Amino acid sequence: SYDLTQAPSLSVSPGQTASITCSGDDLGNKYVCWYQQKPGQSPVLVIYDDNKRPSGIPERFSGLNSGNTATLTISGAQAIDEADYYCQAWHRRAVVFGGGTKVTVL
Amino acid sequence: QITLKESGPTLVKPTQTLTLTCRFSGFSLTTSGLAVGWIRQPPGKALDWLALIYWDDEKRFSPSLKNRLTIAKDTSKNEVVLTMTNMDPVDTGTYYCVSSQGRLEREPFDIWGQGTMVTVSS
């Protein structure tokens, strides 16, 4: 099976940059999506195709994917960005999710 | 505006079969490129992809669960039905219906339903 590895948690001060990583074998040759999930809510797509933002997602969210690591960056983190973040990719006709990273802004 | 809404039992007993229905609006699953799928999330845990059905009836399943899952669409009702056999307490969680566009194995799940909580307990 194919695994995507994320750190369980990350803390960032308001206004600072949060970098959330997702690692997988040869991940740079796949397309990565990122989802934000706040408590009690359904996930929301924040990045697709490695680095594209859906309509309505703030510019402070950006993505990169190279080698074995994809990174979601929140530039100028705000309190409203506190959430769980999941990476996702396709591997051999199946969808794989990372284990999620809980981002705390304080 | 695309919406998806899940429905089904909130409680099932171990060994029973779970049947969940996703009713959607704002699109038709007869439209080339569209797909509807299911993703679950145990309490406090990560997302776990289950299955996907495309407009042309191609189906994809989680390798670890494929022997327990079926997925079907009823385009006249705008519904997708997921069944999971031999339910176990570890299958407890929120089950989400999702939609995507395309079949290049890069498409995100851009719309999510509100989710339905399923508890497996005797």
Side-chain angles (χ1 to χ4, degrees):
Chain A
S1 65
Y2 186 81
D3 295 323
L4 293 176
T5 301
Q6 297 182 241
S9 62
L10 174 72
S11 273
V12 61
S13 299
Q16 298 302 302
T17 296
S19 295
I20 306 160
T21 60
C22 173
S23 299
D25 187 43
D26 200 30
L27 186 58
N29 281 321
K30 305 178 187 300
Y31 288 96
V32 174
C33 310
W34 291 90
Y35 301 88
Q36 176 194 68
Q37 186 180 30
K38 296 182 179 179
Q41 298 183 19
S42 302
V44 172
L45 178 69
V46 294
I47 292 287
Y48 67 100
D49 279 2
D50 295 340
N51 55 23
K52 296 182 173 61
R53 279 178 293 105
S55 173
I57 300 302
E59 290 184 6
R60 64 180 180 274
F61 289 90
S62 63
L64 279 176
N65 184 19
S66 179
N68 294 322
T69 303
T71 303
L72 172 68
T73 300
I74 309 173
S75 303
Q78 301 181 12
I80 57 171
D81 301 328
E82 191 163 284
D84 294 328
Y85 291 85
Y86 295 92
C87 59
Q88 176 244 306
W90 281 82
H91 177 72
R92 294 184 181 176
R93 300 169 58 84
V95 173
V96 181
F97 283 98
T101 297
K102 183 177 183 62
V103 172
T104 302
V105 181
L106 50 72
Chain B
Q1 179 191 4
I2 292 175
T3 62
L4 307 111
K5 187 169 184 179
E6 307 87 349
S7 62
T10 57
L11 179 67
V12 296
K13 292 181 167 46
T15 76
Q16 286 186 336
T17 294
L18 171 69
T19 299
L20 295 174
T21 300
C22 174
R23 292 183 176 86
F24 54 87
S25 62
F27 68 98
S28 171
L29 249 188
T30 60
T31 302
S32 177
L34 298 186
V36 171
W38 290 90
I39 292 165
R40 70 177 179 178
Q41 185 173 37
K45 296 190 176 180
L47 301 170
D48 182 25
W49 174 71
L50 299 176
L52 192 64
I53 186 166
Y54 292 92
W55 78 97
D56 59 359
D57 214 39
E58 179 182 348
K59 305 172 179 75
R60 305 275 181 96
F61 295 100
S62 164
S64 62
L65 292 168
K66 62 180 180 180
N67 292 335
R68 299 174 54 203
L69 297 173
T70 59
I71 191 169
K73 59 182 173 63
D74 185 333
T75 54
S76 67
K77 295 181 180 179
N78 279 355
E79 290 182 355
V80 168
V81 176
L82 178 81
T83 62
M84 180 181 292
T85 61
N86 195 23
M87 293 293 284
D88 182 271
V90 300
D91 297 313
T92 292
T94 299
Y95 287 70
Y96 294 101
C97 179
V98 295
S99 67
S100 70
Q101 304 178 57
R103 193 167 48 195
L104 299 176
E105 298 196 2
R106 61 189 283 180
E107 294 76 18
F109 299 112
D110 47 4
I111 307 294
W112 294 62
Q114 64 187 23
T116 186
M117 179 66 193
V118 178
T119 300
V120 184
S121 174
S122 54

